[in-house]
Amino acid sequence: MGSERMEMRKRQMSVQQESVAGGTAPTQQDQQGQGNRGSNACCFCWCCCCSCSCLTVRNEDRENRNRRASYDVKGEGTGEIEDSPKPTVEEVRSWGQSFDKLMRCPAGRSAFRQFLRTEFSEENMLFWLACEEFSKETNKTIIEEKARLIYEDYISILSPKEVSLDSRVREVINRNMLEPTSHTFDDAQLQIYTLMQRDSYPRFMNSPVYKNLLKSLSEQSPES
């Protein structure tokens, strides 16, 4: 009986040792596999992060260039009414004589733009001002760049600031954009000018924007 018990103990100890030895090897392999996967993951993440960072920098540079160029195109259009010289009461009264006199006066354009903002049609004035600056450009490279920006800002149907143009004028612009010149947007500028003259100008003359400005200047005038 004693020898049988000893034999059974030996067998149990042998089984336990085999079990422990068998479990250790896979664990080490698993750890090695996990280590390899972790190393690859880190490498992959690093590459992705590096790539994303490079793309982000390039996109930011492109956006910054577009913003600077867009600011140059808009010129006066970025200013507010306070930035213009204060008009005299005579000038404000002359605005009622014709739309041309209103548009020739910097303060008049600013006041009119403030009114257009209340009607959600400020893009008409911004487009007209951009075209005025664009028509004075002589450098071919700058003309091509500004023509693209004006098209993207005011002509493209995807732009939130798209101006209302008929199909004929749009076709002319699309042809002109193949080889832009300082006259690329002449027809469109005239059409928007006419639209503002016929549609917005009469309402501006009857608006609080104009009447309050005229009243304020009249009260300050020594003649009143």
Side-chain angles (χ1 to χ4, degrees), residues 163-175:
V163 295
S164 179
L165 299 171
D166 60 37
S167 58
R168 180 193 65 82
V169 172
R170 286 186 174 276
E171 289 176 2
V172 170
I173 293 176
N174 289 334
R175 288 197 300 269

Side-chain angles (χ1 to χ4, degrees), residues 26-83:
T27 302
Q28 292 175 347
Q29 291 176 356
D30 290 342
Q31 290 175 350
Q32 291 176 354
Q34 290 174 358
N36 291 336
R37 285 194 296 272
S39 176
N40 292 337
C42 292
C43 180
F44 178 76
C45 292
W46 180 87
C47 292
C48 288
C49 292
C50 178
S51 176
C52 292
S53 299
C54 294
L55 290 173
T56 301
V57 170
R58 287 197 295 270
N59 289 336
E60 288 178 351
D61 289 343
R62 187 182 300 110
E63 290 175 359
N64 289 336
R65 286 197 301 271
N66 287 342
R67 279 196 294 268
R68 288 195 297 269
S70 183
Y71 177 83
D72 292 339
V73 167
K74 292 175 183 176
E76 181 184 352
T78 58
E80 300 292 340
I81 185 172
E82 292 82 3
D83 296 334

Side-chain angles (χ1 to χ4, degrees), residues 111-162:
F112 187 51
R113 177 185 167 187
Q114 183 182 22
F115 167 74
L116 292 177
R117 187 179 296 129
T118 66
E119 293 203 331
F120 304 99
S121 58
E122 184 184 12
E123 66 275 2
N124 291 332
M125 175 62 79
L126 294 177
F127 173 68
W128 187 88
L129 290 170
C131 290
E132 281 292 286
E133 292 298 317
F134 177 73
S135 64
K136 301 173 185 176
E137 190 55 65
T138 57
N139 184 289
K140 187 175 185 299
T141 302
I142 297 178
I143 285 176
E144 291 177 352
E145 177 66 13
K146 288 188 175 183
R148 180 184 63 81
L149 290 170
I150 291 176
Y151 189 94
E152 292 177 354
D153 282 345
Y154 303 108
I155 309 300
S156 172
I157 59 175
L158 300 178
S159 173
K161 295 183 293 184
E162 178 195 6

